[in-house]
Amino acid sequence: MFFDELLDETYCPNEYPALDALCGEWSETRPFAGLCILVATPIFRNTMVEYRALMAGGAELAIGRATHPDEDEKDVASMPCDKKILDYLVENGMKFYSVKDVVREESDGKYFDLILDCAGQFAACHPKIGFVELTRSGVHFYENVKQPVYVADSGIVKRIETSLGTGDGYFRALIQLGYSDFESRKLLVFGSGKVGSGIALQGLSKGCSVTVVTDTTKKGTSTDFCATLEQNDIDILDCRDFIATVAAIQSADYIVTATGVKDALVNPILTQALLTTKAKLSNMGVEDEYGEDVPADKVLNGKAPLNFILEEPTHLKYIETSMALHATLGECLVRDSRFEGLKEPPAELEEKLLMTTIQNGVIGAEICGMLGLSPEF
């Protein structure tokens, strides 16, 4: 494949053990032979490792995004991308499709077999076999879809990316912007899910004094990690306690939103505190969580996820197991798509990918620490 040299000179196989194993397996079994697959994830160098695995499996691959590379993207929300990598893919003949392109093709009777989506961009389309959605933020776009939809973010594998990788990316981005003084600084995190808890724990490891604001009525749910935060002596505030939250905003050095909810902080009391705080504001969610009354220039990277200023927003070693799950769920659909609507990944599949990553990857010890497992897992 045309990008083999670029990937091989950049990464070692122990940075992508799960995808490396799939590449070897699929080059022999060819589960996607003759199938047209659209992949609509952010376009960066590390995402080409997933492309390589799918193409090794025989897929005719195309890339989905909001616009074609040569179109004006003004006022169009699009998946983040590295322009250099985008140009590289264009120069080497990769095909790109927008939602409008796919709908137009469908009206002519041409359908993709599989759509491996991210953030629900292509939920209005109709692949022959089904969808795989990569993110929790894209799930609501699929709630009324009758076709089979696997949700990669439903299981435990995604925690590697969101808890370990996103926290790492947030701090790498701050450092790139010149903010590297974390010892004894006050970090305020909005959200106690996978991303928020990952940032909070990463901040703790860097010497920050960390406080998390969350909806404490959701403690103990599958998407909440308050128990882990409390075990690490991280202060937790209820999002309805405006007095305590405003005080935390006013005294913070760094503030980051990670609730995954659009306009989560929209409240006149909070907005006023955010407008006057000395803290560096960031967002690590897909949506604008601050609301329109907090101007974009008040928030680093104009309210877009802060780690997307990096050449590699999430290091491959943290994201590759999620990409492997994304791709492998496509293989699951090829084998059996006899269901409708949303479905979680098979537990045995996640366990297999985790085992491969822990045993053969460079972050095995980190994963075991996050999951409370012994290294012999």
Side-chain angles (χ1 to χ4, degrees), residues 64-95:
R65 65 193 309 266
T67 63
H68 279 296
D70 57 351
E71 290 179 338
D72 184 4
E73 295 188 13
K74 185 178 180 181
D75 298 327
V76 176
S78 183
M79 277 287 105
C81 74
D82 181 332
K83 185 65 165 56
K84 299 190 296 295
I85 297 300
L86 178 64
D87 292 342
Y88 172 75
L89 294 170
V90 171
E91 290 166 5
N92 284 278
M94 289 296 289
K95 297 178 181 178

Short mmCIF file of all heavy atoms in Angstrom, two decimals, residues 64-95:
data_model
loop_
_atom_site.label_atom_id
_atom_site.label_comp_id
_atom_site.label_asym_id
_atom_site.label_seq_id
_atom_site.Cartn_x
_atom_site.Cartn_y
_atom_site.Cartn_z
N GLY A 64 -14.87 9.25 4.28
CA GLY A 64 -16.01 10.15 4.41
C GLY A 64 -15.64 11.39 5.19
O GLY A 64 -14.95 11.32 6.20
N ARG A 65 -16.09 12.53 4.71
CA ARG A 65 -15.90 13.80 5.42
C ARG A 65 -16.97 14.79 4.95
O ARG A 65 -17.67 14.51 3.97
CB ARG A 65 -14.50 14.36 5.25
CG ARG A 65 -14.12 14.76 3.86
CD ARG A 65 -12.61 15.00 3.70
NE ARG A 65 -12.08 15.90 4.71
CZ ARG A 65 -11.95 17.21 4.55
NH1 ARG A 65 -12.37 17.78 3.42
NH2 ARG A 65 -11.44 17.96 5.50
N ALA A 66 -17.08 15.92 5.62
CA ALA A 66 -18.17 16.85 5.32
C ALA A 66 -18.09 17.42 3.91
O ALA A 66 -19.11 17.64 3.26
CB ALA A 66 -18.18 17.99 6.34
N THR A 67 -16.88 17.66 3.43
CA THR A 67 -16.71 18.23 2.09
C THR A 67 -15.57 17.52 1.38
O THR A 67 -14.75 16.84 2.00
CB THR A 67 -16.35 19.73 2.15
OG1 THR A 67 -15.08 19.88 2.81
CG2 THR A 67 -17.39 20.53 2.90
N HIS A 68 -15.52 17.70 0.08
CA HIS A 68 -14.37 17.21 -0.67
C HIS A 68 -13.16 18.08 -0.32
O HIS A 68 -13.30 19.27 0.05
CB HIS A 68 -14.62 17.29 -2.17
CG HIS A 68 -15.42 16.14 -2.68
ND1 HIS A 68 -14.96 14.86 -2.65
CD2 HIS A 68 -16.66 16.09 -3.23
CE1 HIS A 68 -15.86 14.05 -3.17
NE2 HIS A 68 -16.93 14.77 -3.51
N PRO A 69 -11.96 17.55 -0.42
CA PRO A 69 -10.76 18.32 -0.07
C PRO A 69 -10.59 19.63 -0.83
O PRO A 69 -9.99 20.57 -0.33
CB PRO A 69 -9.61 17.35 -0.42
CG PRO A 69 -10.23 16.00 -0.28
CD PRO A 69 -11.65 16.15 -0.75
N ASP A 70 -11.15 19.70 -2.05
CA ASP A 70 -10.98 20.92 -2.85
C ASP A 70 -12.16 21.88 -2.72
O ASP A 70 -12.23 22.88 -3.43
CB ASP A 70 -10.75 20.56 -4.32
CG ASP A 70 -11.87 19.72 -4.91
OD1 ASP A 70 -12.73 19.26 -4.14
OD2 ASP A 70 -11.87 19.52 -6.14
N GLU A 71 -13.10 21.58 -1.82
CA GLU A 71 -14.26 22.44 -1.65
C GLU A 71 -14.05 23.43 -0.51
O GLU A 71 -13.23 23.20 0.39
CB GLU A 71 -15.52 21.61 -1.37
CG GLU A 71 -16.00 20.80 -2.57
CD GLU A 71 -17.23 19.98 -2.24
OE1 GLU A 71 -17.46 19.71 -1.05
OE2 GLU A 71 -17.94 19.61 -3.16
N ASP A 72 -14.79 24.52 -0.54
CA ASP A 72 -14.73 25.52 0.51
C ASP A 72 -15.40 24.98 1.77
O ASP A 72 -16.57 24.60 1.74
CB ASP A 72 -15.45 26.79 0.04
CG ASP A 72 -15.35 27.94 1.05
OD1 ASP A 72 -14.66 27.75 2.08
OD2 ASP A 72 -15.94 28.99 0.79
N GLU A 73 -14.65 24.91 2.87
CA GLU A 73 -15.20 24.36 4.11
C GLU A 73 -15.75 25.44 5.04
O GLU A 73 -16.12 25.15 6.17
CB GLU A 73 -14.12 23.56 4.84
CG GLU A 73 -13.67 22.33 4.06
CD GLU A 73 -12.76 21.44 4.87
OE1 GLU A 73 -12.67 21.65 6.10
OE2 GLU A 73 -12.14 20.54 4.29
N LYS A 74 -15.82 26.67 4.58
CA LYS A 74 -16.33 27.74 5.42
C LYS A 74 -17.75 27.43 5.86
O LYS A 74 -18.61 27.04 5.07
CB LYS A 74 -16.30 29.07 4.66
CG LYS A 74 -16.71 30.27 5.52
CD LYS A 74 -16.62 31.56 4.72
CE LYS A 74 -17.03 32.75 5.59
NZ LYS A 74 -16.98 34.02 4.83
N ASP A 75 -17.98 27.58 7.16
CA ASP A 75 -19.29 27.36 7.77
C ASP A 75 -19.76 25.91 7.69
O ASP A 75 -20.94 25.62 7.85
CB ASP A 75 -20.36 28.27 7.13
CG ASP A 75 -20.06 29.75 7.32
OD1 ASP A 75 -19.48 30.10 8.37
OD2 ASP A 75 -20.37 30.54 6.41
N VAL A 76 -18.83 24.99 7.42
CA VAL A 76 -19.19 23.57 7.38
C VAL A 76 -18.47 22.84 8.49
O VAL A 76 -17.25 22.89 8.59
CB VAL A 76 -18.81 22.94 6.02
CG1 VAL A 76 -19.11 21.45 6.03
CG2 VAL A 76 -19.56 23.62 4.89
N ALA A 77 -19.23 22.17 9.35
CA ALA A 77 -18.61 21.38 10.42
C ALA A 77 -18.04 20.11 9.82
O ALA A 77 -18.72 19.38 9.11
CB ALA A 77 -19.65 21.04 11.48
N SER A 78 -16.78 19.86 10.07
CA SER A 78 -16.12 18.70 9.50
C SER A 78 -15.27 18.02 10.54
O SER A 78 -14.84 18.64 11.51
CB SER A 78 -15.26 19.12 8.30
OG SER A 78 -14.67 18.01 7.69
N MET A 79 -15.03 16.72 10.32
CA MET A 79 -14.12 16.01 11.21
C MET A 79 -12.74 16.67 11.14
O MET A 79 -12.28 17.04 10.06
CB MET A 79 -13.99 14.56 10.76
CG MET A 79 -15.08 13.64 11.25
SD MET A 79 -14.97 13.25 13.01
CE MET A 79 -16.29 14.28 13.65
N PRO A 80 -12.08 16.80 12.28
CA PRO A 80 -10.72 17.38 12.26
C PRO A 80 -9.80 16.55 11.37
O PRO A 80 -9.99 15.34 11.20
CB PRO A 80 -10.30 17.30 13.73
CG PRO A 80 -11.57 17.21 14.49
CD PRO A 80 -12.52 16.45 13.63
N CYS A 81 -8.81 17.22 10.80
CA CYS A 81 -7.85 16.50 9.98
C CYS A 81 -6.52 17.23 9.94
O CYS A 81 -6.44 18.42 10.24
CB CYS A 81 -8.38 16.30 8.56
SG CYS A 81 -8.35 17.79 7.54
N ASP A 82 -5.49 16.49 9.59
CA ASP A 82 -4.17 17.05 9.34
C ASP A 82 -4.12 17.34 7.84
O ASP A 82 -4.17 16.42 7.02
CB ASP A 82 -3.10 16.03 9.75
CG ASP A 82 -1.68 16.55 9.54
OD1 ASP A 82 -1.47 17.39 8.65
OD2 ASP A 82 -0.77 16.08 10.25
N LYS A 83 -4.04 18.62 7.49
CA LYS A 83 -4.10 19.01 6.07
C LYS A 83 -3.00 18.32 5.26
O LYS A 83 -3.21 17.95 4.10
CB LYS A 83 -3.97 20.53 5.95
CG LYS A 83 -4.14 21.08 4.55
CD LYS A 83 -5.53 20.85 4.01
CE LYS A 83 -5.84 21.70 2.79
NZ LYS A 83 -4.88 21.54 1.68
N LYS A 84 -1.83 18.12 5.85
CA LYS A 84 -0.74 17.47 5.12
C LYS A 84 -1.11 16.03 4.78
O LYS A 84 -0.83 15.56 3.68
CB LYS A 84 0.56 17.51 5.95
CG LYS A 84 1.08 18.89 6.27
CD LYS A 84 2.47 18.84 6.85
CE LYS A 84 2.50 18.10 8.20
NZ LYS A 84 1.74 18.81 9.24
N ILE A 85 -1.73 15.34 5.73
CA ILE A 85 -2.13 13.96 5.49
C ILE A 85 -3.28 13.91 4.48
O ILE A 85 -3.32 13.04 3.59
CB ILE A 85 -2.52 13.26 6.80
CG1 ILE A 85 -1.33 13.18 7.74
CG2 ILE A 85 -3.10 11.88 6.54
CD1 ILE A 85 -0.14 12.42 7.18
N LEU A 86 -4.21 14.85 4.60
CA LEU A 86 -5.31 14.93 3.64
C LEU A 86 -4.77 15.09 2.22
O LEU A 86 -5.18 14.36 1.29
CB LEU A 86 -6.23 16.10 4.01
CG LEU A 86 -7.42 16.35 3.09
CD1 LEU A 86 -8.39 15.19 3.12
CD2 LEU A 86 -8.12 17.65 3.48
N ASP A 87 -3.84 16.03 2.04
CA ASP A 87 -3.26 16.26 0.72
C ASP A 87 -2.52 15.02 0.22
O ASP A 87 -2.58 14.67 -0.97
CB ASP A 87 -2.29 17.45 0.76
CG ASP A 87 -3.01 18.78 0.98
OD1 ASP A 87 -4.24 18.83 0.76
OD2 ASP A 87 -2.35 19.75 1.38
N TYR A 88 -1.84 14.35 1.13
CA TYR A 88 -1.10 13.13 0.79
C TYR A 88 -2.05 12.05 0.27
O TYR A 88 -1.76 11.38 -0.73
CB TYR A 88 -0.34 12.66 2.03
CG TYR A 88 0.34 11.32 1.93
CD1 TYR A 88 1.53 11.16 1.22
CD2 TYR A 88 -0.19 10.20 2.57
CE1 TYR A 88 2.17 9.93 1.15
CE2 TYR A 88 0.44 8.97 2.50
CZ TYR A 88 1.61 8.84 1.79
OH TYR A 88 2.24 7.62 1.73
N LEU A 89 -3.17 11.89 0.94
CA LEU A 89 -4.16 10.90 0.51
C LEU A 89 -4.77 11.26 -0.84
O LEU A 89 -4.98 10.39 -1.70
CB LEU A 89 -5.24 10.74 1.57
CG LEU A 89 -4.79 10.15 2.92
CD1 LEU A 89 -5.91 10.28 3.96
CD2 LEU A 89 -4.38 8.70 2.76
N VAL A 90 -5.05 12.55 -1.04
CA VAL A 90 -5.61 13.01 -2.31
C VAL A 90 -4.62 12.75 -3.44
O VAL A 90 -4.98 12.22 -4.51
CB VAL A 90 -5.95 14.52 -2.24
CG1 VAL A 90 -6.32 15.04 -3.62
CG2 VAL A 90 -7.10 14.76 -1.28
N GLU A 91 -3.36 13.09 -3.19
CA GLU A 91 -2.34 12.92 -4.23
C GLU A 91 -2.17 11.45 -4.62
O GLU A 91 -1.76 11.15 -5.75
CB GLU A 91 -1.00 13.48 -3.72
CG GLU A 91 -0.97 15.00 -3.61
CD GLU A 91 0.20 15.49 -2.79
OE1 GLU A 91 1.06 14.66 -2.39
OE2 GLU A 91 0.27 16.71 -2.55
N ASN A 92 -2.47 10.56 -3.69
CA ASN A 92 -2.30 9.13 -3.96
C ASN A 92 -3.61 8.44 -4.35
O ASN A 92 -3.68 7.21 -4.33
CB ASN A 92 -1.67 8.44 -2.76
CG ASN A 92 -0.18 8.72 -2.65
OD1 ASN A 92 0.63 8.06 -3.31
ND2 ASN A 92 0.20 9.71 -1.84
N GLY A 93 -4.60 9.23 -4.69
CA GLY A 93 -5.78 8.68 -5.33
C GLY A 93 -6.87 8.14 -4.43
O GLY A 93 -7.79 7.46 -4.93
N MET A 94 -6.84 8.41 -3.13
CA MET A 94 -7.92 7.96 -2.26
C MET A 94 -9.21 8.69 -2.63
O MET A 94 -9.20 9.87 -2.98
CB MET A 94 -7.58 8.22 -0.80
CG MET A 94 -6.48 7.32 -0.24
SD MET A 94 -6.90 5.56 -0.20
CE MET A 94 -8.13 5.52 1.11
N LYS A 95 -10.33 7.99 -2.51
CA LYS A 95 -11.63 8.57 -2.85
C LYS A 95 -12.28 9.18 -1.61
O LYS A 95 -12.23 8.59 -0.53
CB LYS A 95 -12.55 7.49 -3.42
CG LYS A 95 -12.05 6.88 -4.72
CD LYS A 95 -13.00 5.78 -5.20
CE LYS A 95 -12.49 5.14 -6.49
NZ LYS A 95 -13.38 4.04 -6.94
#
